[in-house]
Amino acid sequence: MANILALVEHRQGTIRDITYELLTYGRKLAEKMDGKLTGVILGHNTGDFTESVKKHAHRVVVADHEVFKDFNAETYQHALADIIQKENPFLTLIGNTAFGIDLCPALATQLGVPFTTDCIGVEIADKKVRVTRQLYDGKMDAHVYLSEGPSYMLTLRSGTCAAEEGNLTADIQKIEASITSQPDYKKFVEYIEAAVGDVDITKADVLVGVGRGIKEQANMSMIEDFAKAIGGVVACSRPIVDANWLPKDRQVGSSGKTVKPKLYIAVGISGAFQHIAGMKNADTIIAINKDPNAPIFNEADYGIVEDLFKVVPALKNKIMEMKQ
Ligand SMILES: Cc1cc2nc3c(=O)[nH]c(=O)nc-3n(C[C@H](O)[C@H](O)[C@H](O)COP(=O)(O)OP(=O)(O)OC[C@H]3O[C@@H](n4cnc5c(N)ncnc54)[C@H](O)[C@@H]3O)c2cc1C
């Protein structure tokens, strides 16, 4: 029997989506090994969190204290180290997010536990842990065996599995916070929401995401016209922001915005995982790309393999025709 711990990540009073992916993945792994999944909540006024998490785990351990209201890798490391030492799980799962990357290496080092980050798959056989990680911008997968240890730890990339509805009723165990103040050398000061520009792409129902396939800034007006014709808003991949063709608040992806429009049309976007992370939950995804092997087609509900400079004007004209 091998038990698994999964850390519940929250921000601004809301559990983050990655948590439910971790809980789904962790529960399946634990059940395969006849073990139990324990969700760990470090937070303040955690009633609602506990209610949500208990459907997804066999047990929930909750440390409720003001010090955990906002994430601080130092307080989290202290509290989690304590919990892991007591619980002695086979594996601890943490989201591969800004929080998780800040926390996991220091925590694993403190505990002397083998760890790896940014995993997209985990297999456990004969008590050996083999993880899958991507190399060269997602072009290759590497299988990595963790060296043998008393326990293991890893961060799981968002999108590794789809979050499923939970139907469990976890046992809840409330514990005392083992740390009650932030260290002087690293304190949470305030949460600053990124400024929203003239357009908030997170609120749009229809987004036209434009990528490096657009080639030149002069061609951006074609995308603007198309977006206007279908009543949408233009978003983009990171190279477009790097080239200063659109402001940062239009960038979709792991270092940009997460969007959930009804329709996302990816134009000349290859589908790097950093981009996918931001748009994979769109209701319908259409991809236009001349490369039939572009990874974006793995996510798309509909794909058009063709030169975007032919497809976009043709679509726009058709829509204008239908409108008339
Ligand atoms: C730490 C980190 C964070 C990152 N965060 C983000 C992020 O938040 N968002 C993000 O998007 N990226 C992010 N990236 C960058 C990411 O790895 C990719 O480099 C980026 O998403 C690629 O953008 P793209 O698809 O527009 O360009 P490319 O990968 O160059 O793809 C261009 C695509 O256009 C197609 N194309 C070319 N010409 C045509 C044509 N005439 N007709 C049709 N198709 C055509 C090509 O076949 C190709 O698939 C991040 C990278 C790092 C390292």
Side-chain angles (χ1 to χ4, degrees):
M1 193 168 99
N3 295 325
I4 293 183
L5 289 192
L7 177 66
V8 171
E9 183 170 326
H10 55 89
R11 190 169 71 187
Q12 297 288 91
T14 306
I15 292 182
R16 306 203 72 200
D17 291 348
I18 181 78
T19 297
Y20 297 105
E21 296 177 19
L22 282 186
L23 292 169
T24 303
Y25 201 82
R27 177 181 52 74
K28 289 182 178 174
L29 271 181
E31 286 172 356
K32 253 192 214 161
M33 298 186 297
D34 292 327
K36 302 261 185 245
L37 171 71
T38 299
V40 178
I41 301 175
L42 305 176
H44 186 46
N45 294 333
T46 50
D48 289 350
F49 292 173
T50 310
E51 276 309 301
S52 307
V53 173
K54 77 176 187 191
K55 292 184 230 141
H56 298 268
H58 303 102
R59 281 179 69 232
V60 179
V61 171
V62 190
D64 191 319
H65 193 280
E66 210 179 345
V67 76
F68 300 131
K69 182 167 176 278
D70 297 292
F71 177 78
N72 178 335
E74 305 297 320
T75 52
Y76 265 57
Q77 182 181 334
H78 193 289
L80 263 183
D82 207 49
I83 292 169
I84 290 168
Q85 273 159 344
K86 286 189 185 125
E87 296 279 327
N88 193 23
F90 177 73
L91 177 67
T92 301
L93 294 176
I94 296 174
N96 192 65
T97 57
F99 290 2
I101 296 166
D102 197 4
L103 170 68
C104 177
L107 176 62
T109 306
Q110 178 189 342
L111 295 172
V113 162
F115 80 100
T116 188
T117 54
D118 201 16
C119 304
I120 57 163
V122 188
E123 279 171 49
I124 299 165
D126 300 330
K127 296 261 168 186
K128 285 200 171 69
V129 179
R130 189 184 84 166
V131 300
T132 308
R133 306 179 80 227
Q134 287 191 333
L135 299 177
Y136 303 119
D137 218 4
K139 292 187 179 65
M140 280 176 83
D141 283 353
H143 289 146
V144 178
Y145 282 93
L146 275 74
S147 52
E148 232 168 280
S151 177
Y152 301 90
M153 193 177 296
L154 53 88
T155 65
L156 206 64
R157 184 188 292 176
S158 157
T160 296
C161 82
E164 290 175 9
E165 285 294 310
N167 56 6
L168 301 172
T169 316
D171 293 330
I172 314 294
Q173 189 186 346
K174 294 189 176 168
I175 59 166
E176 289 295 317
S178 58
I179 183 167
T180 52
S181 61
Q182 301 186 69
D184 288 338
Y185 60 85
K186 191 170 179 183
K187 285 190 188 295
F188 173 87
V189 178
E190 78 178 298
Y191 181 80
I192 301 172
E193 192 72 61
V196 175
D198 54 336
V199 173
D200 184 356
I201 59 169
T202 65
K203 303 264 160 46
D205 280 344
V206 178
L207 283 177
V208 180
V210 57
R212 190 150 38 195
I214 196 68
K215 290 194 173 58
E216 286 175 23
Q217 187 170 18
N219 299 327
M220 291 290 288
S221 58
M222 179 182 82
I223 302 296
E224 289 284 356
D225 290 348
F226 174 55
K228 213 163 155 197
I230 60 166
V233 164
V234 178
C236 64
S237 64
R238 187 156 119 172
I240 301 299
V241 173
D242 291 344
N244 273 328
W245 297 348
L246 280 175
K248 173 82 179 158
D249 59 14
R250 301 285 187 107
Q251 182 185 319
V252 172
S254 57
S255 57
K257 303 269 179 184
T258 300
V259 295
K260 287 183 184 175
K262 290 189 177 134
L263 176 63
Y264 187 87
I265 309 181
V267 183
I269 290 179
S270 59
F273 72 84
Q274 292 96 342
H275 188 81
I276 301 294
M279 45 63 84
K280 64 181 191 298
N281 290 324
D283 290 350
T284 302
I285 298 171
I286 300 176
I288 305 170
N289 196 306
K290 66 180 182 184
D291 174 5
N293 297 316
I296 191 74
F297 289 123
N298 299 331
E299 301 297 323
D301 299 289
Y302 302 94
I304 304 172
V305 182
E306 186 47 282
D307 186 337
L308 71 90
F309 294 99
K310 284 190 201 157
V311 178
V312 173
L315 277 179
K316 192 195 104 182
N317 291 339
K318 192 76 196 164
I319 288 159
M320 299 305 281
E321 221 177 276
M322 285 164 74
K323 274 189 176 170
Q324 276 165 16

